[in-house]
PDB file of all heavy atoms in Angstrom:
ATOM      1  N   MET A  18       1.192  15.345 -13.427  1.00 82.00           N
ATOM      2  CA  MET A  18       1.812  14.023 -13.563  1.00 82.00           C
ATOM      3  C   MET A  18       3.175  13.983 -12.865  1.00 82.00           C
ATOM      4  O   MET A  18       3.497  13.014 -12.170  1.00 82.00           O
ATOM      5  CB  MET A  18       1.972  13.667 -15.046  1.00 82.00           C
ATOM      6  CG  MET A  18       2.449  12.257 -15.305  1.00 82.00           C
ATOM      7  SD  MET A  18       4.206  11.997 -15.659  1.00 82.00           S
ATOM      8  CE  MET A  18       4.741  13.345 -16.593  1.00 82.00           C
ATOM      9  N   LEU A  19       3.973  15.019 -13.001  1.00 79.00           N
ATOM     10  CA  LEU A  19       5.269  15.074 -12.325  1.00 79.00           C
ATOM     11  C   LEU A  19       5.116  15.086 -10.805  1.00 79.00           C
ATOM     12  O   LEU A  19       5.872  14.418 -10.096  1.00 79.00           O
ATOM     13  CB  LEU A  19       6.054  16.308 -12.774  1.00 79.00           C
ATOM     14  CG  LEU A  19       6.755  16.219 -14.119  1.00 79.00           C
ATOM     15  CD1 LEU A  19       7.450  17.529 -14.433  1.00 79.00           C
ATOM     16  CD2 LEU A  19       7.750  15.082 -14.139  1.00 79.00           C
ATOM     17  N   LEU A  20       4.144  15.833 -10.311  1.00 76.00           N
ATOM     18  CA  LEU A  20       3.917  15.878  -8.871  1.00 76.00           C
ATOM     19  C   LEU A  20       3.497  14.517  -8.331  1.00 76.00           C
ATOM     20  O   LEU A  20       3.996  14.063  -7.297  1.00 76.00           O
ATOM     21  CB  LEU A  20       2.866  16.931  -8.523  1.00 76.00           C
ATOM     22  CG  LEU A  20       3.330  18.375  -8.598  1.00 76.00           C
ATOM     23  CD1 LEU A  20       2.159  19.322  -8.407  1.00 76.00           C
ATOM     24  CD2 LEU A  20       4.396  18.639  -7.551  1.00 76.00           C
ATOM     25  N   VAL A  21       2.581  13.848  -9.027  1.00 75.00           N
ATOM     26  CA  VAL A  21       2.134  12.523  -8.594  1.00 75.00           C
ATOM     27  C   VAL A  21       3.292  11.546  -8.653  1.00 75.00           C
ATOM     28  O   VAL A  21       3.517  10.771  -7.720  1.00 75.00           O
ATOM     29  CB  VAL A  21       0.944  12.042  -9.455  1.00 75.00           C
ATOM     30  CG1 VAL A  21       0.661  10.569  -9.225  1.00 75.00           C
ATOM     31  CG2 VAL A  21      -0.285  12.873  -9.157  1.00 75.00           C
ATOM     32  N   ARG A  22       4.050  11.587  -9.716  1.00 71.00           N
ATOM     33  CA  ARG A  22       5.185  10.661  -9.903  1.00 71.00           C
ATOM     34  C   ARG A  22       6.265  10.885  -8.853  1.00 71.00           C
ATOM     35  O   ARG A  22       6.875   9.960  -8.348  1.00 71.00           O
ATOM     36  CB  ARG A  22       5.754  10.859 -11.305  1.00 71.00           C
ATOM     37  CG  ARG A  22       7.035  10.147 -11.610  1.00 71.00           C
ATOM     38  CD  ARG A  22       6.783   8.682 -11.945  1.00 71.00           C
ATOM     39  NE  ARG A  22       7.921   8.034 -12.533  1.00 71.00           N
ATOM     40  CZ  ARG A  22       8.949   7.549 -11.855  1.00 71.00           C
ATOM     41  NH1 ARG A  22       8.996   7.681 -10.559  1.00 71.00           N
ATOM     42  NH2 ARG A  22       9.939   6.947 -12.452  1.00 71.00           N
ATOM     43  N   THR A  23       6.489  12.121  -8.466  1.00 67.00           N
ATOM     44  CA  THR A  23       7.530  12.446  -7.504  1.00 67.00           C
ATOM     45  C   THR A  23       7.088  12.226  -6.069  1.00 67.00           C
ATOM     46  O   THR A  23       7.857  11.729  -5.245  1.00 67.00           O
ATOM     47  CB  THR A  23       7.969  13.917  -7.676  1.00 67.00           C
ATOM     48  OG1 THR A  23       8.384  14.107  -9.014  1.00 67.00           O
ATOM     49  CG2 THR A  23       9.087  14.271  -6.732  1.00 67.00           C
ATOM     50  N   LEU A  24       5.857  12.564  -5.741  1.00 69.00           N
ATOM     51  CA  LEU A  24       5.419  12.550  -4.357  1.00 69.00           C
ATOM     52  C   LEU A  24       4.575  11.346  -3.969  1.00 69.00           C
ATOM     53  O   LEU A  24       4.599  10.927  -2.815  1.00 69.00           O
ATOM     54  CB  LEU A  24       4.616  13.825  -4.060  1.00 69.00           C
ATOM     55  CG  LEU A  24       5.374  15.136  -4.241  1.00 69.00           C
ATOM     56  CD1 LEU A  24       4.440  16.304  -4.036  1.00 69.00           C
ATOM     57  CD2 LEU A  24       6.560  15.210  -3.303  1.00 69.00           C
ATOM     58  N   ALA A  25       3.820  10.774  -4.885  1.00 74.00           N
ATOM     59  CA  ALA A  25       2.838   9.763  -4.498  1.00 74.00           C
ATOM     60  C   ALA A  25       3.205   8.344  -4.916  1.00 74.00           C
ATOM     61  O   ALA A  25       3.195   7.432  -4.094  1.00 74.00           O
ATOM     62  CB  ALA A  25       1.467  10.121  -5.060  1.00 74.00           C
ATOM     63  N   ILE A  26       3.493   8.122  -6.183  1.00 79.00           N
ATOM     64  CA  ILE A  26       3.781   6.773  -6.664  1.00 79.00           C
ATOM     65  C   ILE A  26       4.999   6.788  -7.572  1.00 79.00           C
ATOM     66  O   ILE A  26       5.356   7.818  -8.123  1.00 79.00           O
ATOM     67  CB  ILE A  26       2.584   6.162  -7.441  1.00 79.00           C
ATOM     68  CG1 ILE A  26       2.259   7.009  -8.671  1.00 79.00           C
ATOM     69  CG2 ILE A  26       1.378   5.980  -6.559  1.00 79.00           C
ATOM     70  CD1 ILE A  26       1.277   6.358  -9.613  1.00 79.00           C
ATOM     71  N   SER A  27       5.628   5.649  -7.700  1.00 81.00           N
ATOM     72  CA  SER A  27       6.704   5.504  -8.668  1.00 81.00           C
ATOM     73  C   SER A  27       6.753   4.051  -9.117  1.00 81.00           C
ATOM     74  O   SER A  27       6.170   3.174  -8.485  1.00 81.00           O
ATOM     75  CB  SER A  27       8.049   5.949  -8.087  1.00 81.00           C
ATOM     76  OG  SER A  27       8.395   5.178  -6.976  1.00 81.00           O
ATOM     77  N   ILE A  28       7.433   3.826 -10.205  1.00 81.00           N
ATOM     78  CA  ILE A  28       7.557   2.491 -10.774  1.00 81.00           C
ATOM     79  C   ILE A  28       9.044   2.166 -10.853  1.00 81.00           C
ATOM     80  O   ILE A  28       9.830   2.969 -11.359  1.00 81.00           O
ATOM     81  CB  ILE A  28       6.903   2.422 -12.161  1.00 81.00           C
ATOM     82  CG1 ILE A  28       5.420   2.753 -12.059  1.00 81.00           C
ATOM     83  CG2 ILE A  28       7.110   1.052 -12.783  1.00 81.00           C
ATOM     84  CD1 ILE A  28       4.736   2.954 -13.388  1.00 81.00           C
ATOM     85  N   HIS A  29       9.418   1.008 -10.333  1.00 79.00           N
ATOM     86  CA  HIS A  29      10.818   0.590 -10.353  1.00 79.00           C
ATOM     87  C   HIS A  29      10.908  -0.819 -10.904  1.00 79.00           C
ATOM     88  O   HIS A  29      10.027  -1.651 -10.670  1.00 79.00           O
ATOM     89  CB  HIS A  29      11.437   0.645  -8.963  1.00 79.00           C
ATOM     90  CG  HIS A  29      11.525   2.020  -8.410  1.00 79.00           C
ATOM     91  ND1 HIS A  29      12.452   2.936  -8.842  1.00 79.00           N
ATOM     92  CD2 HIS A  29      10.790   2.657  -7.477  1.00 79.00           C
ATOM     93  CE1 HIS A  29      12.287   4.072  -8.191  1.00 79.00           C
ATOM     94  NE2 HIS A  29      11.276   3.926  -7.353  1.00 79.00           N
ATOM     95  N   LEU A  47       4.979  -1.277  -8.629  1.00 88.00           N
ATOM     96  CA  LEU A  47       4.336  -0.023  -8.269  1.00 88.00           C
ATOM     97  C   LEU A  47       4.652   0.253  -6.803  1.00 88.00           C
ATOM     98  O   LEU A  47       4.375  -0.579  -5.938  1.00 88.00           O
ATOM     99  CB  LEU A  47       2.827  -0.108  -8.483  1.00 88.00           C
ATOM    100  CG  LEU A  47       2.033   1.152  -8.140  1.00 88.00           C
ATOM    101  CD1 LEU A  47       2.400   2.278  -9.099  1.00 88.00           C
ATOM    102  CD2 LEU A  47       0.551   0.867  -8.193  1.00 88.00           C
ATOM    103  N   ILE A  48       5.243   1.413  -6.526  1.00 88.00           N
ATOM    104  CA  ILE A  48       5.663   1.791  -5.186  1.00 88.00           C
ATOM    105  C   ILE A  48       4.789   2.936  -4.692  1.00 88.00           C
ATOM    106  O   ILE A  48       4.656   3.952  -5.364  1.00 88.00           O
ATOM    107  CB  ILE A  48       7.141   2.250  -5.165  1.00 88.00           C
ATOM    108  CG1 ILE A  48       8.044   1.258  -5.875  1.00 88.00           C
ATOM    109  CG2 ILE A  48       7.600   2.557  -3.760  1.00 88.00           C
ATOM    110  CD1 ILE A  48       8.046  -0.122  -5.314  1.00 88.00           C
ATOM    111  N   ASN A  49       4.195   2.769  -3.505  1.00 86.00           N
ATOM    112  CA  ASN A  49       3.425   3.833  -2.876  1.00 86.00           C
ATOM    113  C   ASN A  49       4.381   4.656  -2.021  1.00 86.00           C
ATOM    114  O   ASN A  49       4.791   4.230  -0.939  1.00 86.00           O
ATOM    115  CB  ASN A  49       2.302   3.241  -2.021  1.00 86.00           C
ATOM    116  CG  ASN A  49       1.463   4.305  -1.360  1.00 86.00           C
ATOM    117  OD1 ASN A  49       1.786   5.485  -1.385  1.00 86.00           O
ATOM    118  ND2 ASN A  49       0.371   3.876  -0.752  1.00 86.00           N
ATOM    119  N   ARG A  50       4.735   5.829  -2.498  1.00 83.00           N
ATOM    120  CA  ARG A  50       5.697   6.676  -1.805  1.00 83.00           C
ATOM    121  C   ARG A  50       5.079   7.388  -0.601  1.00 83.00           C
ATOM    122  O   ARG A  50       5.790   7.942   0.222  1.00 83.00           O
ATOM    123  CB  ARG A  50       6.275   7.699  -2.772  1.00 83.00           C
ATOM    124  CG  ARG A  50       7.078   7.051  -3.894  1.00 83.00           C
ATOM    125  CD  ARG A  50       7.533   8.071  -4.910  1.00 83.00           C
ATOM    126  NE  ARG A  50       8.606   8.896  -4.435  1.00 83.00           N
ATOM    127  CZ  ARG A  50       9.893   8.642  -4.617  1.00 83.00           C
ATOM    128  NH1 ARG A  50      10.254   7.565  -5.277  1.00 83.00           N
ATOM    129  NH2 ARG A  50      10.807   9.454  -4.155  1.00 83.00           N
ATOM    130  N   CYS A  51       3.763   7.393  -0.495  1.00 79.00           N
ATOM    131  CA  CYS A  51       3.067   8.058   0.620  1.00 79.00           C
ATOM    132  C   CYS A  51       2.599   7.080   1.682  1.00 79.00           C
ATOM    133  O   CYS A  51       1.900   7.470   2.603  1.00 79.00           O
ATOM    134  CB  CYS A  51       1.863   8.833   0.093  1.00 79.00           C
ATOM    135  SG  CYS A  51       2.291  10.195  -0.961  1.00 79.00           S
ATOM    136  N   VAL A 154       3.426  -2.024  -3.737  1.00 87.00           N
ATOM    137  CA  VAL A 154       1.990  -2.278  -3.808  1.00 87.00           C
ATOM    138  C   VAL A 154       1.712  -3.538  -4.615  1.00 87.00           C
ATOM    139  O   VAL A 154       1.013  -4.431  -4.157  1.00 87.00           O
ATOM    140  CB  VAL A 154       1.243  -1.066  -4.418  1.00 87.00           C
ATOM    141  CG1 VAL A 154      -0.226  -1.361  -4.571  1.00 87.00           C
ATOM    142  CG2 VAL A 154       1.469   0.169  -3.573  1.00 87.00           C
ATOM    143  N   LEU A 157       3.260  -4.546 -11.651  1.00 80.00           N
ATOM    144  CA  LEU A 157       2.446  -4.036 -12.754  1.00 80.00           C
ATOM    145  C   LEU A 157       2.518  -4.961 -13.964  1.00 80.00           C
ATOM    146  O   LEU A 157       1.507  -5.332 -14.534  1.00 80.00           O
ATOM    147  CB  LEU A 157       2.894  -2.635 -13.152  1.00 80.00           C
ATOM    148  CG  LEU A 157       2.581  -1.531 -12.163  1.00 80.00           C
ATOM    149  CD1 LEU A 157       3.146  -0.209 -12.653  1.00 80.00           C
ATOM    150  CD2 LEU A 157       1.089  -1.415 -11.946  1.00 80.00           C
TER     151      LEU A 157
END
Side-chain angles (χ1 to χ4, degrees):
M18 187 261 324
L19 281 178
L20 285 173
V21 168
R22 171 80 167 81
T23 304
L24 299 175
I26 61 170
S27 61
I28 300 170
H29 295 285
L47 180 66
I48 311 301
N49 181 351
R50 296 175 74 92
C51 294
V154 176
L157 289 177

